[in-house]
Amino acid sequence: MNVEQLKSRFKGHYDFMVAEKFLDEQFSQLQQLQDESTPDFAFEVVSLFFEDCQKIFHDLDRALEQPMVDFKTVDNNVHTLKGSSSSIGAARVTHVCIAFRSFCDEHNLEGCLRSMQELKRETALVKNQFEILFKLEQQLLAAGGSITLPVKPSPQSNDHPWFM
Amino acid sequence: MGMAKETQFHVLAVDDSLIDRKLIERLLKTSSYQVTTVDSGSKALEFLGLIEEDHRNPSSNSPSVSSDHHQVVEVNLIITDYCMPGMTGYDLLKKIKESSSLKDIPVVIMSSENVPSRINRCLEEGAEEFFLKPVQLSDVNRLKPHLLRGKSIEKQPEPKPQQQQQQLHLQQQTQQPNNKRKAMEEALSPERQRPRYSGLTVI
C-alpha cells in the first residue's frame, strides 16, 4: 500500500472515531504536541490513560462492593478518570463519567453500578479504536508519511452537552 | 546560563495527574518554556523554598531549603491544578500570595470544572488566569503577557497595592469571557471561537 492509501486509511479511521464521538478535538492537540523529540507523545499519554483506568476500575469495583458504599471515594475516582479521559479526548468515556458523578451525588447505587458497567464497556471500545488508529499511524510513518489531523470545528464537537 | 535565563521563562507546573503533568509539560515546552513539574502543592512550595511549619519534620530544625534562600531556581510563573488531594490549587495560590518573597510570581489556575464562584475566588485571591481543562495551545499563548509583567515587577520597586488591585479588577472584567470560554462558546459568543481550530490542515 502506498503512502496516500495509508494516509487515507488513517484519516478514515480517525474521522470515524470523531463521528462516533470516541474522540473529540482534544486528541488532535496531543498529536500537535508531537515533534522529533517526542514522536510518540500521543501514544504514551493514551497508554498512560489505559493504565490509570485499570487501577481506577479496580479501586472503583472495590468501593462499590462495600456494604456501605462511600460515594465520596467513588466520586473522587470518577473525577480523576473524567479529567484524564478529557485530556486525551476520549469523549464518550468523559460523558459516562459525568453521568456517573451525578449518581454519586444522589447516592444512587444502582445508577453507579450501571455507570460502572458502561464505563468499562466504553473504555474497552475506545481502547480497541485507539489500537487500530495507532497501528495505522505506525504503518503510515513506516511508509514515510506524516500526520496532521484534519480537524475542523465539526458541528457535533461544539454542542457536546457534557462540555460545560 | 545567563543567556538561557534571558530568553527562556521558567514555569512551575503543579498537577496531581500524571497525564495532565505530561500534557502541560509538552504544551509549555512546545512554547519554548523551561518547565518543572511537581505533583502536589506542598512539593511546589518546597521547590520554591517555602517550607510550611506543619510540614517540617519536628526532629529536624533546619529545613532543606530555608525561606531566606527562596527560589534557588528562578520561577517566572506557576500554573497549578485546582483540585488536588491535600493542598488544593487555591490553597497553594493563597500561600504564594501571602509570602513576601513569592507573591510577585504570577499564578494561573487550571480546573476541569467550570464553576464561576471558584473562578472568581481564585481571581480575587490574585490568580492571573483561570484555564479550563484540558489546557490547549491557545491557552498557553495567553501566558506571555503575565510572564512579561512578572519580569518587569521584579525589576521595579514595590508596585502600589492600589494599582495592582485596579489592574486585577480590570483583568477580571476583560478576561471573563475567556475564562469561561467553553460555556461562552456554547451559549453566547460565536465570534469568540478558539483559534485552535484554525491552524490544522490536511497535508
Side-chain angles (χ1 to χ4, degrees), chain A residues 73-138:
Chain A
T73 305
V74 176
D75 186 61
N76 284 341
N77 277 298
V78 180
H79 173 79
T80 304
L81 207 57
K82 175 178 163 265
S84 52
S85 61
S86 74
S87 293
I88 64 160
R92 278 164 61 159
V93 176
T94 311
H95 186 42
V96 176
C97 288
I98 289 168
F100 201 153
R101 289 194 75 192
S102 52
F103 288 131
C104 287
D105 273 354
E106 299 163 5
H107 288 204
N108 178 344
L109 181 58
E110 206 184 301
C112 285
L113 291 170
R114 228 175 24 240
S115 287
M116 188 67 228
Q117 292 314 310
E118 210 179 327
L119 197 52
K120 286 179 178 169
R121 193 172 54 239
E122 285 299 337
T123 308
L125 280 174
V126 75
K127 187 173 187 214
N128 192 19
Q129 297 300 324
F130 267 125
E131 278 166 2
I132 298 170
L133 188 73
F134 285 126
K135 209 173 123 196
L136 291 171
E137 181 189 17
Q138 282 210 316

Side-chain angles (χ1 to χ4, degrees), chain A residues 7 25-26 28-30 32-33 35 37-38 41 44-45 48-49 52 79 82 84 86-87 101 146 148-151 153 158 160 163-164, chain B residues 17-20 22-23 26-27 30 83 112-114 132-138 182-183 185-186 193-194 196-197 199-203:
Chain A
K7 199 178 272 183
E25 71 280 357
Q26 174 62 19
S28 70
Q29 287 268 323
L30 297 188
Q32 264 189 291
L33 292 172
D35 60 21
S37 70
T38 56
F41 180 70
E44 275 172 29
V45 173
L48 266 179
F49 170 74
D52 266 12
H79 173 79
K82 175 178 163 265
S84 52
S86 74
S87 293
R101 289 194 75 192
S146 63
T148 302
L149 288 178
V151 179
N158 270 336
H160 284 169
F163 279 147
M164 257 308 287
Chain B
S17 151
L18 174 60
I19 291 177
D20 286 347
K22 290 231 170 219
L23 189 56
R26 270 313 296 158
L27 280 165
T30 302
C83 194
S112 57
E113 265 138 298
N114 190 357
L132 275 178
K133 280 180 154 185
V135 176
Q136 309 192 322
L137 272 171
S138 54
K182 283 189 175 157
E185 260 179 20
E186 275 182 0
Q193 280 294 341
R194 270 184 278 183
R196 72 188 149 107
Y197 294 125
L200 294 165
T201 47
V202 198
I203 46 161

Side-chain angles (χ1 to χ4, degrees), chain B:
Chain B
M1 190 65 189
M3 280 275 286
K5 255 188 184 174
E6 285 286 310
T7 52
Q8 225 185 6
F9 290 110
H10 183 196
V11 179
L12 176 62
V14 192
D15 202 311
D16 60 311
S17 151
L18 174 60
I19 291 177
D20 286 347
R21 281 201 303 281
K22 290 231 170 219
L23 189 56
I24 193 76
E25 183 181 31
R26 270 313 296 158
L27 280 165
L28 292 164
K29 282 190 171 164
T30 302
S31 306
S32 307
Y33 296 123
Q34 186 196 335
V35 190
T36 301
T37 58
V38 291
D39 63 5
S40 71
S42 47
K43 281 189 189 152
L45 291 178
E46 197 177 329
F47 184 80
L48 293 162
L50 195 71
I51 307 278
E52 284 182 292
E53 288 297 324
D54 46 281
H55 278 215
R56 255 185 235 177
N57 184 348
S59 63
S60 106
N61 279 328
S62 53
S64 54
V65 197
S66 87
S67 49
D68 294 298
H69 302 103
H70 95 275
Q71 283 183 268
V72 182
V73 188
E74 189 189 20
V75 171
N76 306 107
L77 184 133
I78 298 160
I79 184 163
T80 178
D81 186 28
Y82 180 90
C83 194
M84 295 186 287
M87 188 187 299
T88 67
Y90 180 71
D91 298 335
L92 175 62
L93 168 70
K94 281 210 292 194
K95 292 220 183 302
I96 288 163
K97 294 302 162 188
E98 280 163 11
S99 154
S100 55
S101 54
L102 303 177
K103 67 173 169 29
D104 290 334
I105 303 177
V107 178
V108 170
I109 309 272
M110 311 174 276
S111 172
S112 57
E113 265 138 298
N114 190 357
V115 184
S117 60
R118 176 185 292 181
I119 298 172
N120 287 333
R121 212 150 55 99
C122 290
L123 294 176
E124 275 161 25
E125 202 59 51
E128 307 292 333
E129 291 265 3
F130 190 99
F131 290 166
L132 275 178
K133 280 180 154 185
V135 176
Q136 309 192 322
L137 272 171
S138 54
D139 297 316
V140 171
N141 293 339
R142 278 160 47 204
L143 294 177
K144 202 79 185 196
H146 304 298
L147 283 158
L148 295 171
R149 207 165 55 85
K151 276 273 177 195
S152 64
I153 283 175
E154 269 167 43
K155 284 177 193 126
Q156 279 164 14
E158 279 292 286
K160 292 188 189 93
Q162 237 182 354
Q163 230 178 352
Q164 240 190 354
Q165 203 57 43
Q166 242 175 4
Q167 213 171 356
L168 181 66
H169 188 64
L170 266 174
Q171 242 167 23
Q172 243 173 292
Q173 287 190 327
T174 52
Q175 280 169 5
Q176 228 138 28
N178 267 344
N179 293 331
K180 293 174 186 169
R181 58 191 164 105
K182 283 189 175 157
M184 296 293 292
E185 260 179 20
E186 275 182 0
L188 293 164
S189 181
E191 78 275 13
R192 247 190 194 278
Q193 280 294 341
R194 270 184 278 183
R196 72 188 149 107
Y197 294 125
S198 58
L200 294 165
T201 47
V202 198
I203 46 161

